[in-house]
Amino acid sequence: MGKILFVMTKADHLTLNDGTRHPTGFWAEEFAAPYRAVTEAGHEVVVATPGGTAPTVDPASLAPDFNGGEEGAEAVAALLDQAAVLRRPIALADVEPADYLAVFYPGGHGPMEDLSTDADSARLITATLDAGRPLALVCHGVAALLATEQPDGTSPLGGYRVTGFTNAEEAQSGLGDKVKWRLQDRLVALGVEYTEGEPWASYVVSDRNLITGQNPGSSAELATALLKTLA
């Protein structure tokens, strides 16, 4: 048993291509399902954000429609309320990678706003992969991989098999033609081997010590895959 680092966005909005701000943050299920899984397995969760700012939950992710009904929505809201780590994050710049058994990035559109270009996050990703420790990212949390791009356009992630929120899912979410860029397109340009499953179905890809999940519904399966690497 040990500590698992959850790296989370501090953004509470996504700037769209017309300059307007779309309210967002982290997606509730993408924190809740892995948090529940790793804590029930006996691990301690530590949350880190840029600047140590408490993360904001995307209000849309608390709706019953995204949580299997009213009962599910109440359960997720209760878990977030009980998870004190969300209210006392550490600063991402202060993270010592060797202190953690694994690193996990939840999604929500927030990571597109900040973690996709965060140098401290990029250093953490590279150090975790180089050390052979598990690195897991789900949905738009996979956007954090983009920060590893070098000035010449290459990335240490080149050639890794990766998934993430698809263009089809972005279009179906209503933001496909409103976002400045789409995650699938940027991942392909980064040089990873991008694959996708059916829209909204759970789909997880593991390549060496990198584990990625396509969408919110992949969170539980990704957590299971992460825990298997620590068994």
Side-chain angles (χ1 to χ4, degrees), residues 1-93:
M1 302 301 103
K3 295 189 292 187
I4 296 179
L5 186 68
F6 278 39
V7 181
M8 302 181 67
T9 178
K10 74 170 185 179
D12 61 4
H13 70 276
L14 174 66
T15 305
L16 302 179
N17 56 23
D18 64 357
T20 60
R21 291 185 168 193
H22 175 73
T24 187
F26 71 90
W27 197 259
E29 180 181 1
E30 295 171 27
F31 171 85
Y35 178 83
R36 185 184 302 113
V38 301
T39 55
E40 288 180 352
H43 298 289
E44 176 188 353
V45 169
V46 176
V47 170
T49 66
T53 302
T56 298
V57 63
D58 188 320
S61 69
L62 297 173
D65 287 350
F66 294 116
N67 293 285
E70 192 64 45
E71 185 176 342
E74 291 175 359
V76 167
L79 183 147
L80 297 185
D81 185 60
Q82 294 162 9
V85 292
L86 287 171
R87 292 177 287 283
R88 47 178 172 79
I90 64 174
L92 188 52

Side-chain angles (χ1 to χ4, degrees), residues 86-118:
L86 287 171
R87 292 177 287 283
R88 47 178 172 79
I90 64 174
L92 188 52
D94 295 335
V95 167
E96 174 49 61
D99 290 343
Y100 302 95
L101 294 178
V103 177
F104 168 62
Y105 285 71
H109 279 95
M112 293 177 67
E113 189 75 15
D114 57 3
L115 296 178
S116 63
T117 57
D118 190 282

Side-chain angles (χ1 to χ4, degrees), residues 49-215:
T49 66
T53 302
T56 298
V57 63
D58 188 320
S61 69
L62 297 173
D65 287 350
F66 294 116
N67 293 285
E70 192 64 45
E71 185 176 342
E74 291 175 359
V76 167
L79 183 147
L80 297 185
D81 185 60
Q82 294 162 9
V85 292
L86 287 171
R87 292 177 287 283
R88 47 178 172 79
I90 64 174
L92 188 52
D94 295 335
V95 167
E96 174 49 61
D99 290 343
Y100 302 95
L101 294 178
V103 177
F104 168 62
Y105 285 71
H109 279 95
M112 293 177 67
E113 189 75 15
D114 57 3
L115 296 178
S116 63
T117 57
D118 190 282
D120 293 316
S121 176
R123 285 192 291 271
L124 173 62
I125 287 170
T126 301
T128 301
L129 289 175
D130 287 348
R133 287 186 292 269
L135 173 67
L137 313 91
V138 68
C139 199
H140 289 96
V142 182
L145 299 181
L146 301 175
T148 66
E149 185 175 7
Q150 303 301 304
D152 64 359
T154 63
S155 164
L157 275 298
Y160 274 82
R161 292 190 302 112
V162 171
T163 191
F165 205 64
T166 68
N167 287 349
E169 289 166 329
E170 201 70 84
Q172 291 171 23
S173 76
L175 291 178
D177 59 351
K178 298 178 180 179
V179 293
K180 291 182 177 179
W181 48 268
R182 293 177 297 185
L183 179 57
Q184 179 177 344
D185 295 339
R186 288 288 303 278
L187 289 171
V188 171
L190 191 67
V192 302
E193 184 182 334
Y194 179 87
T195 65
E196 61 185 290
E198 291 297 317
W200 311 110
S202 180
Y203 183 69
V204 172
V205 174
S206 296
D207 186 350
R208 289 157 276 183
N209 53 325
L210 178 65
I211 308 167
T212 50
Q214 179 174 308
N215 49 39

